[in-house]
Amino acid sequence: MTLRIGVIADDFTGATDIAGFLVSAGLRTAQLNSPQQAPENLDAEAVVISLKTRSIPAQVAVEQSLAACRILQELRAEQIIFKYCSTFDSTAEGNIGPVTDALLEELGEEFTVVVPALPVNGRTVYRSTLFVHHQPLHESGMKDHPVTPMTDSDLLRLMEAQSSGTATSVPYAVVEQGPDAVREALRQARSEGARYAVPDTLNHDHLDIIGQAATGLRLLTGGSGIGSGLARALTGQSGQPAQPAQQGGTGAPDAASPAEDWSFTSGAAVVISGSASQMTNRQVEAYAAEAPSTALDIPRVMDDAAGYLEELSRWVLENSTAPDSTDQAAPMVYATAAPEKVKQWQQSYGAERLSAAIEEFFGELAARLRSGGVTRFIVAGGETSGAVTQALGVDGFEVGPQIAPGVPWTRSLESDPQQGIDLALKSGNFGDPDFFRTAVQMSSGASSTVQPTTGQQKEDR
Ligand code: ADP
């Protein structure tokens, strides 16, 4: 099988996000977590390598991204996408700019595109300004992000501030004209010395157009939307009308979906929420009303982690869903809190130290629960998902059906399928308020009783 697309994703949920879109476009997709080497006998048309490089020092992010790029080259990936967040989560130090520059150099290229837009989730780009629904990025919830607060919305400025080249816009009027016009605009931008082109992207059709125009580029950069655009161009779906987003849908047509005959493990399920974003706060509130739930006791995480882990894992196991039971919801443990509360805790313990401690705690909790018979993990938060996945020793997944746009169920790649784990890894603001219930019910075989979701989010990353 030819590897059409290799993706380097800067966090775990971003990786599952783009993988879901590649699957929806009809590409058989595997996801590998921080692999040390290229796996043998990988049968896939797309491979997504998930890293945890979004908010680590730029130099380390560059090294890890280059290592991933070399693995993809070894697997003979025809095109490479550097996937980052649709809200361009970064600072003036990086890591989007430095990683993009390093990948260009590694691939012997001088030019790429910057396409964070994901219109199905309200991320659009107009006149190079990134919007989150009706607000420019810097007025959205992202202005308060604990690690990468976004204080500018102009993608040309944002990109140039953290990279070595110049960025230029491909205006809306050009994108509207179609793939040939965009291809010509990219050629012209490149000949005039630009290193990054930022196409305006107002809707799903624009992603298709940009995807078609970019089939000749060795490197693309952006959000999961450009993964959809490029994959649909490669599988001949571009230009077909997108179906309305629906339960399990992405807003894009489901091709002969590799996710069609998907089955779940039958062990217990748990919800672990370490995301502090606005939508996750709503999701936690909604799910807490219907399932056993417990808020993380932060001082105990900091001062009595061992005893607290013991206690909490016992609590989860006692409250776990019986296999295939629909009358009891999976228990939830959450650190999720309102921004003022998070700020207070950060002031008490130091933001970085606290984040790391909570992530580590959740990782250890997940590992204990796995030993206790939990096999279905629903995790909220990009960094949190990374920590949990690492602690569970999951090296790779097969990517399955979507719970919400950008959030598929995945199954760990194991030599013995009996040992498999189901994972739903939800980034920040993805999903609608009923996300946790939808995920639990899908995985417990009760999807026919799940309330239809609109497939749209109020706010996400
Ligand atoms: P998101 O995808 O929403 O950004 P992440 O898991 O990537 O979620 O990041 C959220 C960060 O905030 C994590 O490092 C997590 O440990 C930390 N965090 C979560 N809850 C709290 C809290 N109540 N106080 C302080 N930090 C928190």
Side-chain angles (χ1 to χ4, degrees):
M1 213 175 246
T2 308
L3 183 56
R4 316 285 307 267
I5 301 178
V7 180
I8 302 164
D10 72 351
D11 87 341
F12 284 78
T13 44
T16 51
D17 173 9
I18 192 166
F21 280 97
L22 299 176
V23 171
S24 290
L27 294 181
R28 184 157 182 191
T29 304
Q31 183 175 326
L32 308 173
N33 300 330
S34 307
Q36 299 304 308
Q37 57 194 37
E40 287 169 23
N41 307 324
L42 193 69
D43 199 18
E45 295 160 292
V47 167
V48 181
I49 292 185
S50 61
L51 302 176
K52 196 169 183 298
T53 50
R54 185 169 294 168
S55 32
I56 63 174
Q59 191 48 40
V60 187
V62 164
E63 282 162 21
Q64 293 183 8
S65 305
L66 287 177
C69 185
R70 287 176 194 132
I71 289 176
L72 293 173
Q73 286 175 284
E74 227 176 287
L75 293 169
R76 299 184 189 285
E78 291 178 339
Q79 288 183 276
I80 289 179
I81 300 177
F82 169 38
K83 155 75 175 76
Y84 41 80
C85 198
S86 63
T87 41
F88 210 76
D89 299 20
S90 55
T91 68
E93 282 72 51
N95 293 336
I96 295 174
V99 171
T100 300
D101 284 343
L103 292 174
L104 282 170
E105 198 179 326
E106 170 71 19
L107 296 166
E109 297 287 327
E110 288 174 350
F111 182 79
T112 188
V113 285
V114 173
V115 193
L118 185 58
V120 69
N121 283 349
R123 278 71 178 126
T124 55
V125 176
Y126 180 63
R127 293 185 184 268
S128 310
T129 300
L130 181 55
F131 286 84
V132 177
H133 298 284
H134 61 286
Q135 291 172 309
L137 176 67
H138 71 280
E139 291 175 17
S140 76
M142 283 304 295
K143 68 182 188 306
D144 300 316
H145 189 272
V147 186
T148 49
M150 299 305 293
T151 55
D152 194 359
S153 305
D154 183 293
L155 287 164
L156 303 182
R157 263 196 314 258
L158 283 165
M159 191 62 189
E160 288 182 353
Q162 53 181 284
S163 63
S164 64
T166 50
T168 191
S169 165
V170 179
Y172 161 77
V174 174
V175 178
E176 268 289 290
Q177 288 171 39
D180 290 343
V182 174
R183 216 173 284 119
E184 174 55 23
L186 297 182
R187 193 199 58 72
Q188 200 177 333
R190 184 180 196 153
S191 71
E192 286 168 2
R195 199 163 159 80
Y196 328 101
V198 181
D200 283 352
T201 318
L202 272 68
N203 55 45
H204 187 79
D205 291 343
H206 291 164
L207 283 175
D208 275 357
I209 289 167
I210 297 163
Q212 286 172 280
T215 50
L217 287 182
R218 185 93 171 91
L219 178 72
L220 290 77
T221 84
S224 51
I226 193 55
S228 168
L230 180 62
R232 281 161 56 85
L234 297 178
T235 57
Q237 289 185 23
S238 302
Q240 290 178 21
Q243 291 169 353
Q246 51 187 252
Q247 170 69 41
T250 60
D254 268 308
S257 173
E260 257 164 24
D261 42 0
W262 191 263
S263 60
F264 290 93
T265 55
S266 58
V270 67
V271 175
I272 292 177
S273 180
S275 156
S277 68
Q278 288 174 1
M279 178 51 84
T280 310
N281 269 282
R282 289 179 63 190
Q283 290 161 338
V284 164
E285 192 184 334
Y287 192 68
E290 59 190 70
S293 58
T294 187
L296 210 61
D297 183 334
I298 304 285
R300 285 199 68 191
V301 170
M302 302 308 285
D303 301 325
D304 174 32
Y308 191 36
L309 267 173
E310 178 68 38
E311 207 175 290
L312 212 48
S313 49
R314 202 173 330 115
W315 178 84
V316 172
L317 293 173
E318 279 166 12
N319 285 281
S320 284
T321 313
D324 298 321
S325 154
T326 53
D327 55 355
Q328 195 190 354
M332 169 171 69
V333 181
Y334 62 96
T336 306
E340 321 76 73
K341 192 79 200 151
V342 171
K343 278 201 183 104
Q344 277 174 20
W345 288 123
Q346 288 179 330
Q347 275 160 9
S348 305
Y349 292 104
E352 274 183 37
R353 184 172 156 245
L354 180 58
S355 284
I358 297 174
E359 288 171 29
E360 189 184 337
F361 186 89
F362 276 143
E364 287 180 19
L365 179 67
R368 273 171 184 256
L369 295 175
R370 175 75 191 95
S371 309
V374 174
T375 60
R376 289 174 286 143
F377 291 85
I378 297 154
V379 187
E383 298 295 322
T384 309
S385 295
V388 166
T389 313
Q390 270 172 358
L392 288 171
V394 173
D395 296 328
F397 320 118
E398 219 178 306
V399 181
Q402 301 263 356
I403 305 158
V407 197
W409 267 110
T410 67
R411 184 169 48 216
S412 62
L413 288 174
E414 309 279 347
S415 44
D416 176 2
Q418 299 298 324
Q419 300 296 314
I421 305 173
D422 297 310
L423 289 152
L425 307 174
K426 187 195 83 79
S427 170
N429 282 308
F430 275 68
D432 68 9
D434 287 333
F435 176 85
F436 293 133
R437 170 159 47 110
T438 307
V440 170
Q441 292 190 341
M442 268 178 89
S443 73
S444 61
S447 51
S448 57
T449 64
V450 171
Q451 300 283 324
T453 61
T454 63
Q456 302 287 329
Q457 283 103 43
K458 299 284 173 287
E459 171 91 16
D460 65 21
R461 302 260 311 273

